[in-house]
């Protein structure tokens, strides 16, 4: 943990290639806005100041994200990444380090940021870099023969030789705030894009004899950003693959780790089985030996030990006891509480009802706002409301 840590998240960009009316940083990965993922990770670092630069999309961004701990700073017009961080300067703690993150790069691991911050210091700037087989479009890390970093050169400003460099700037950096304040005021925009480049602080650091260190992430995907729907979809798959790996490591059996979507927090007991095509949203807890059948959606629910969901069921804001059987084609709506050994069968909808031990509604019924005792058999075609 760093004391006097300030975090600045850049989120003012347009995201034209998303071809959407929704501001880019509000597009979801795993059901949550890109920016929310970045903020989650930032908060684990316990920064003194947390500042988000927004612009395109206007007030929709702060309105959607909220967060009492965030200082929202509007950047208008958007004159480059250096200009973006400049807007945050009055809000940064002059002591300590400023960490710059991108609102459209949602998967950077906390450990990676910790090690980046570990490298930064009062006289040291730290850059997160990656080696890419195809570095096209990125700023290149230019090093002196001895290996020390001398500058970052943007693709559009790079010489043919510099374009051959495979080590690129991810954009994420940790800079001693005192120096940052000085350097940002001195940025110029005489470059191919006419922008104020944050990356120019690297050459300034070299001039000021501030050391420039580099750190690489454990996985390249940690630094992937989103500029298009294709990249958004790609990140979603990587994210979901991580979730699946986490579940497998915890002992959950997945019929196919590539056909599972977790949009929230899924916790499982021992010997849980999940068939293909299931979606879990919000907070879901599956007890020991729970089985979830193919193509079911479970949202904010707790399924008790040994319960089984048969295919094509939708379960939302419910709790079941032990050994319940739900589905196929069942719908449990908010406020449903099943006790132990309850059976809810095909085309049965239950809303805001308590159903006692060993009771059954096996076919084609609507059970709404009901309190059903033990050992009750609700016959086909029954409606309560
Ligand atoms: C930037 C880096 C480049 C790096 C690349 C990694 C600079 C000059 N270049 O280039 O070295 O390889 O990221 O993806 O920093 N933003 C604002 N306000 C602005 C401009 C940008 O908030 O005025 C935000 C964008 O929303 C985005 C991020 O900053 O989240 C990066 O901006 P972008 O224009 O994508 O930078 P690149 O040109 O890709
Ligand atoms: Ca970019």
């Amino acid at each position: 943990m760093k004391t006097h840590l300030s975090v600045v998240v850049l989120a003012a960009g347009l995201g034209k290639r998303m071809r959407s009316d929704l501001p880019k940083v509000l597009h979801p990965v795993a059901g949550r806005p890109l920016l929310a993922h970045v903020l989650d990770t930032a908060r684990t670092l316990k920064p003194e100041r947390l500042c988000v630069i927004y612009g395109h999309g206007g007030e929709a961004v702060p309105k959607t994200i909220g967060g009492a701990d965030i200082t929202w700073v509007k950047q208008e017009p958007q004159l480059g990444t250096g200009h973006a961080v400049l807007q945050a300067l009055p809000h940064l703690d002059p002591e300590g380090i400023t960490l710059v993150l991108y609102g459209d790069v949602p998967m950077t691991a906390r450990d990676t940021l910790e090690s980046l911050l570990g490298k930064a210091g009062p006289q040291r700037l730290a850059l997160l870099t990656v080696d890419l087989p195809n570095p096209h479009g990125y700023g290149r890390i230019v090093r002196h023969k001895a290996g020390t970093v001398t500058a970052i050169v943007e693709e559009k400003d790079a010489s043919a030789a510099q374009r051959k460099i495979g080590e690129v700037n991810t954009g994420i950096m940790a800079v001693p705030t005192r120096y940052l304040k000085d350097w940002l005021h001195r940025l110029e925009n005489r470059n191919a894009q006419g922008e104020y480049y944050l990356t120019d602080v690297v050459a300034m650091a070299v001039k000021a004899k501030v050391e420039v260190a580099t750190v690489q992430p454990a996985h390249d995907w940690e630094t992937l950003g989103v500029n298009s729907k294709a990249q958004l979809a790609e990140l979603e798959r990587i994210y979901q693959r991580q979730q699946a790996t986490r579940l497998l490591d915890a002992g959950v059996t997945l019929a196919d780790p590539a056909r599972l979507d977790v949009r929230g927090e899924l916790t499982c007991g021992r010997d849980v089985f999940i068939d293909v095509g299931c979606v879990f949203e919000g907070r879901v807890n599956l007890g020991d030996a729970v089985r979830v059948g193919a193509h079911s959606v479970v949202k904010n629910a707790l399924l008790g030990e040994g319960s089984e969901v048969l295919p094509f069921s939708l379960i939302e804001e419910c709790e079941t006891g032990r050994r319940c059987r739900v589905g196929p084609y069942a719908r449990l709506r908010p406020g449903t509480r099943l006790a132990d050994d309850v059976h809810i069968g095909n085309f049965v909808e239950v809303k805001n009802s308590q159903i006692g031990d060993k009771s059954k509604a096996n076919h084609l019924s609507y059970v709404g706002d009901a309190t059903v005792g033990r050992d009750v058999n609700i016959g086909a075609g029954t409606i309560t409301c």
Side-chain angles (χ1 to χ4, degrees), residues 24 102 104 227:
K24 177 161 79 170
Y102 284 7
D104 56 2
N227 294 304

Side-chain angles (χ1 to χ4, degrees), residues 10 12-13 75 78-81 84 102 104 138-139 154 169-170 197 199:
L10 306 191
Q75 183 201 16
Q78 285 104 40
L79 304 178
T81 51
Y102 284 7
D104 56 2
Y138 289 91
E154 292 305 298
N169 174 35
T170 64
Y197 290 164
T199 45

Side-chain angles (χ1 to χ4, degrees), residues 11-16 20-27 53-64 72 74-76 78:
L14 171 58
K16 194 160 68 187
S20 167
D21 291 336
L22 190 67
K24 177 161 79 170
V25 293
L26 295 185
H27 283 266
I53 312 297
Y54 72 108
H56 267 285
E59 304 309 315
V61 177
K63 227 184 230 157
T64 307
W72 293 94
K74 195 161 191 178
Q75 183 201 16
E76 214 174 35
Q78 285 104 40

